Amino acid sequence: MLNIRRIREDAAAVRASIATKGVDGVLIDNVEALDAERRQLLTEVEDLKSERNRVSKEIGALKREGKDTAEIQARMRTVGEQIGALDTRVRDVETRLNSVLLSIPNTPHTTTPVGTDASANQVVREHGSRPTFDFDPKSHMELGETLGLLDMPRAARMSGAGFALFTGAGARLQRGLINFMLDLHVAEHGYREVWPPTVCNSAAMTGTGQLPKMEEDMYGVTDTDLWLIPTAEVPVTNYYREEIIQSPLPIYLTAYTPCFRKEAGAAGKDTRGLIRLHQFDKVEMVKFVTPESSYDELETLVANAEDVLQRLGLPYRVLELCTGDLSFAAAKCYDIELWAPGQDAWLEVSSCSNFEDFQARRADIRYRDEQGKTQFVHTLNGSGVALPRLVVAILENGQQADGSVILPEALVPYMNGMTKLTAAG
C-alpha cells in the first residue's frame, strides 16, 4: 500500500509513476477526493465534539446555580445525534478510501526501465553455454515418459489438465532438488528455514498484495476465509504481520511449499507438460531489511538464486523487468530464465523483487531504527527456485543420444548416488 501522505504531497508524480505500469490515474483522483471528504468530515466531527464539551461544562455550572438546562440539553442531544451520523459517514468514507488504496499498485523504482510489456525487458547477463547436440533434442515430456519419470495421463484422471504426477526417479528428483536448494540457502546463504501452512486467510493474502488484485487466479477454500497459497511468499512474509520486529535486521527466511494457481489469465500461453501447472513446488526466499539496504539486498537475493543454477551447471540469463511487466506489488524485479533446448526457449524459474515498504504497510510489519523510532521494513522475495521448469531444463540440457539424462553433479548425493537417469531406472 502506498503512503497516503505521498499522494497528498505529490499526486501528480504518483499518477505518472503508476501510469508506467499501465494503471489509470483516476485511482489517484479517487484517493484525493475521498481523503478530502474524510478530512472535512473529521473537522466537522471535532468541531461538534468541542462544542459538546464546552456546553457540558456550561450545563454543569448552570445546574449548580439552580437554573433550567432542559433546552440546552435537548440541543446537545441533537448534537450527539449529528456526531453519531458523522462518525458513521467517516467510517464509510475510510472503508472506501482503504479499498481504493488497496487497488493501487506499487510505484516502480526510478532505475526500472520504462516499457509497456515484456518486449522492453532488458537482459542483464547470460551465464553458461547452451548445449549443442548431434541429434534432435527431445522435449522434457518425451524424456519424462520414456524414462518413467512422469505420468501426465494419470495426473489428468486424478485432477484434470494442468497437474503433474512424478513417479520413480522423477519423484526422487523432485525431493532431491527441494533438499538441495534448502540446504544451500540455509547452510551457505544464511537463511532460516521455516515450514509454513499452505493455506492463508484473506488478511494474509491482502498483506502481500495477492488480494484483491489476483483473486481470480487463486483457489479459495469453500465456505472459509482461506485460500490455497500461490507462493510461499504469502505465509513467509506474513510471519511478522502486525508485529514490530524485535530481532536485528536483516532477517532471511526460506521455505519449501507446494503452490496453487488457476492460471486464469494464461489463455493462449504454453500449457504443455510442466511449463505451466496449477500445482507446482517451489523453494522461496524472503527478506526483511532496512530501507537503506534493500537494493543491495535485492542484488544478493538474485545472486542466491543464480547460485542454485550455477551449481547445477545450467545455462541461464537474468532479465531486468520493465515497468509494464512488473507485478502489482513490486518496485523493481529481476527474472531468471533457464534455457530449454527441447522447447528452443527461455523459461522463467525465478522472480526476485523488492517491494520496498508496500507489503509492510499492508501487513503492518515494522521495526525500530537506531533512534528507536518505529519504521516500516522493506520486504523482498525471490524463487530459489521453482521446480517444474527447473526439471524441464535438467532433462532437456542433460539428455544424451541414447535417451538417457546426465544429472548435475551437485544432485548426485541427493539421488542416492545416481548419476544418470535411464529407462531401466
Side-chain angles (χ1 to χ4, degrees), residues 337-408:
E337 298 180 333
L338 283 170
W339 176 248
Q343 314 299 308
D344 192 30
W346 293 99
L347 303 177
E348 177 202 327
V349 293
S350 178
S351 286
C352 297
S353 302
N354 187 351
F355 305 105
E356 298 183 351
D357 65 1
F358 187 80
Q359 291 180 327
R361 287 182 180 277
R362 295 167 75 103
D364 193 20
I365 305 171
R366 294 167 292 161
Y367 77 106
R368 296 191 189 280
D369 62 20
E370 293 180 354
Q371 288 72 44
K373 184 178 179 181
T374 301
Q375 306 276 9
F376 287 105
V377 299
H378 278 200
T379 60
L380 302 91
N381 89 273
S383 308
V385 297
L387 268 77
R389 295 175 184 180
L390 177 60
V391 171
V392 169
I394 287 172
L395 297 181
E396 294 187 0
N397 283 282
Q399 64 181 297
Q400 306 298 301
D402 63 0
S404 65
V405 172
I406 301 296
L407 288 170

Side-chain angles (χ1 to χ4, degrees), residues 285-300:
M285 303 174 290
V286 172
K287 292 185 172 188
F288 303 87
V289 306
T290 62
E292 299 77 21
S293 66
S294 67
Y295 280 94
D296 288 337
E297 292 284 1
L298 176 60
E299 298 301 322
T300 60

Side-chain angles (χ1 to χ4, degrees), residues 11-303:
V14 176
R15 194 178 288 108
S17 186
I18 65 172
T20 67
K21 279 190 167 184
V23 177
D24 195 328
V26 71
L27 291 173
I28 306 302
D29 299 339
N30 293 342
V31 168
E32 289 186 294
L34 288 167
D35 186 44
E37 182 180 356
R38 173 182 173 275
R39 289 198 281 178
Q40 176 60 38
L41 289 170
L42 287 173
T43 298
E44 293 178 27
V45 169
E46 290 307 313
D47 287 346
L48 287 173
K49 287 181 178 178
S50 294
E51 180 186 357
R52 184 173 61 180
N53 292 337
R54 176 181 58 77
V55 174
S56 293
K57 293 178 181 178
E58 291 179 5
I59 290 173
L62 289 170
K63 283 184 175 181
R64 286 191 295 273
E65 295 172 6
K67 295 181 178 179
D68 183 15
T69 61
E71 183 178 343
I72 299 176
Q73 286 181 305
R75 181 161 59 87
M76 285 304 98
R77 282 194 292 273
T78 300
V79 169
E81 291 169 359
Q82 291 175 325
I83 290 172
L86 285 170
D87 282 340
T88 298
R89 288 178 61 189
V90 168
R91 287 193 294 271
D92 175 65
V93 171
E94 287 178 340
T95 298
R96 288 187 285 140
L97 176 59
N98 190 60
S99 178
V100 177
L101 284 170
L102 287 174
S103 70
I104 298 173
N106 200 359
T107 53
H109 190 260
T110 54
T111 61
T112 297
V114 176
T116 57
D117 55 38
S119 64
N121 294 342
Q122 298 181 3
V123 178
V124 177
R125 55 185 168 273
E126 188 171 331
H127 185 276
S129 301
R130 305 184 208 178
T132 57
F133 303 96
D134 55 7
F135 58 90
D136 291 332
K138 297 178 181 178
S139 72
H140 67 282
M141 282 300 297
E142 294 176 274
L143 293 164
E145 291 170 354
T146 302
L147 298 174
L149 311 175
L150 286 168
D151 193 332
M152 301 300 278
R154 283 192 170 90
R157 288 205 298 272
M158 295 173 189
S159 308
F163 293 88
L165 171 62
F166 292 90
T167 59
R172 188 178 190 99
L173 179 60
Q174 289 281 110
R175 178 159 51 93
L177 283 166
I178 292 166
N179 288 335
F180 160 69
M181 289 186 282
L182 287 173
D183 287 349
L184 178 60
H185 294 320
V186 171
E188 300 195 34
H189 297 157
Y191 292 78
R192 179 187 177 201
E193 183 179 353
V194 295
W195 193 284
T198 53
V199 294
C200 279
N201 59 31
S202 294
M205 291 290 187
T206 301
T208 47
Q210 272 67 31
L211 287 179
K213 175 68 174 178
M214 289 168 278
E215 179 175 351
E216 70 167 11
D217 203 33
M218 299 193 301
Y219 289 100
V221 181
T222 307
D223 298 328
T224 71
D225 182 39
L226 295 173
W227 304 81
L228 299 180
I229 62 169
T231 166
E233 168 196 348
V234 178
V236 179
T237 302
N238 278 277
Y239 187 98
Y240 289 109
R241 182 161 63 93
E242 298 175 358
E243 288 188 31
I244 298 174
I245 298 174
Q246 302 302 322
S247 303
L249 299 181
I251 293 171
Y252 305 157
L253 300 178
T254 187
Y256 153 72
T257 65
C259 306
F260 305 88
R261 299 180 187 179
K262 289 182 180 178
E263 297 289 358
K269 295 184 179 180
D270 193 344
T271 56
R272 294 171 296 165
L274 303 178
I275 304 299
R276 194 173 295 276
L277 297 172
H278 295 310
Q279 177 184 334
F280 60 96
D281 296 299
K282 185 153 65 88
V283 171
E284 195 78 1
M285 303 174 290
V286 172
K287 292 185 172 188
F288 303 87
V289 306
T290 62
E292 299 77 21
S293 66
S294 67
Y295 280 94
D296 288 337
E297 292 284 1
L298 176 60
E299 298 301 322
T300 60
L301 183 70
V302 177

